[in-house]
Amino acid sequence: MAHLLSLLAAVVVLSEAAVHYPPTQSNVNNLTFVLNGTGAPGIFNSSTTPDKSYGEYNWCNMPHVREREYKTPSKEFTLEYVEVIHRHHKRTPYASNTFFKEDIPWNCPGEGPVEYGKGPSGVSADVTEIQWKAFQDAQNPFVNSVGPGFVNSDCQFPQITADGIVDSNTHGTDLRSVYATRLGLGGQLDTSTVQIRVTNNDITSQVAGGLLKGLFPGTDNAAVLIQSGTYDSLEPTYSCPTANSLFSSYTSNSANWTTHLADAASLYAKLDSVSGIATQDSAGWHTSFDHYYDNLSAKLCHQKTLPCSVNDTSLCVTQDEVNTVFRLGNWEYSYYYRDAPQSTQYSALHYGAWFLELQSHLQAVISGQSKIKYFHNIAHDGSVSPVLGFLQIANMVWPGMGAEVVFELYKNESRAYFIRVLWGGQPMVTSTPMGTLDMIPIQTFLDYIETNIGSGADLFNACN
Ligand SMILES: *[C@@H]1O[C@H](CO)[C@@H](O)[C@H](O)[C@H]1NC(C)=O
Ligand SMILES: *[C@@H]1O[C@H](CO)[C@@H](O)[C@H](O)[C@H]1NC(C)=O
Ligand SMILES: *[C@@H]1O[C@H](CO)[C@@H](O)[C@H](O)[C@H]1NC(C)=O
Ligand SMILES: *[C@@H]1O[C@H](CO)[C@@H](O)[C@H](O)[C@H]1NC(C)=O
Ligand SMILES: *[C@@H]1O[C@H](CO)[C@@H](O)[C@H](O)[C@H]1NC(C)=O
Ligand SMILES: *[C@@H]1O[C@H](CO)[C@@H](O)[C@H](O)[C@H]1NC(C)=O
Ligand SMILES: CC(=O)N[C@H]1CO[C@H](CO)[C@@H](O)[C@@H]1O
């Protein structure tokens, strides 16, 4: 009978989509407020959040775990294992942004990424450190289309800026202030108990350098884990055609999505008149607000001014317009990952592989088969978002720079295990029956993963 029931359960997993629990209604997912309201949905012009309002949304440097706000659970619980996933810190624009014909310069003097292979005896014996210095040569006919802000720039687009490296280091120091004593972490990275993981995008390794120096001040070089770019579960890059077509069905192919783009036509017209982006562009400036949001916020986070047209210096993007772009961007992420009824299933498929890895890390600690105490994943907004989507956070936002989710595994005195999940440093409020993820019996959490993703084979089949 038990066997029959588990067979039936497996069939259910394969045939039924993950159950969607709608998010809380707020200004973020209220399209009337987004289009017709006012103000920015948080801080967008500085990495610093005042202590008194720490926890507030800060796109430039999202709140994370640190000693000042950290809530230590009661003494009956012992912290056994911590897994962190966080978005990289602030950066220059991406290279494709050079089509934004803007007047704001970007420079990275002496701040290029460091990139080199290593011989058996390491730096100073076999190799010297190598730093990138980007340049343009007018003889290359393909550089002609860049905007004036990009001419003669020595930034490698994208790269984490010097300020973003400082934020990465602070993030590491803050995590150390909480977890070093609680987990017994030493001053050096010890890979028998600690693992650090990056994606195939260089900017996550750039962040790792700053983060690790803060987390383990005695570390001078470190081996970090990375999966092949053809199937990386962290970025993620693994192929899941079912997830992609599901996503299109509720975005580009749905009026639920395209309506907000049409409603914002006059805002688009103004932004295009400044940037010189064609209304019918094929690079995605008009299929979502992603590019305008990211390109405008990158400037503000680095204390640059808002752009003006290169042809008419009196035609500039205004703060009110930027605030509307920021409200629209957050509405979009809430729609992508929480408001759309199919979004939970999308996250389960698109990020299921990473959750299966998390599940196995937790199980290995519980069964005594792993000595790993701390696992840190450095990733992207496209990684943190489906984590929030799958766990069905009650109030979704676009995860800003450094946005962090922490999974804490606890044991009580009778060896029962519990999980606490922190978002922005505080227990995550979800719309699921689990409610706030604060000392949830571990089996409840593992069952949630099992019910909505199934086994590795289930996921693989559901994707293909
Ligand atoms: C925003 O306000 C305009 C003008 O008052 C109105 O026509 C439009 O319907 C409003 N948009 C939404 C989404 O409520
Ligand atoms: C959405 O925002 C508008 C404008 O602020 C407000 O009048 C309306 O009550 C809000 N809707 C919901 C469901 O909260
Ligand atoms: C950031 O924006 C806020 C709100 O618009 C403003 O009060 C503050 O002075 C700005 N800070 C910086 C560093 O520009
Ligand atoms: C559009 O939204 C409605 C209401 O949430 C939902 O029932 C419907 O499935 C959505 N359609 C698509 C294509 O996402
Ligand atoms: C500036 O004017 C030139 C010449 O008319 C035009 O080709 C270009 O697209 C304009 N750029 C912007 C940003 O409007
Ligand atoms: C540990 O948790 C289990 C499950 O909730 C509970 O039954 C047990 O009483 C707890 N042990 C102690 C010592 O509190
Ligand atoms: C910060 C940044 O560069 N954001 C976007 C700017 O626009 C390009 C497209 O041209 C996007 O790829 C970037 O993500």
Side-chain angles (χ1 to χ4, degrees), residues 110 137 257 269 290 335-336 357 413 419:
D137 189 318
W257 173 257
D290 175 277
Y335 179 85
Y336 285 151
E357 293 178 13
E413 283 153 12
I419 195 160

Side-chain angles (χ1 to χ4, degrees), residues 101 272-277 309-311:
K101 304 280 189 298
D272 292 346
S273 73
V274 175
S275 68
I277 307 284
S309 164
V310 292
N311 291 337

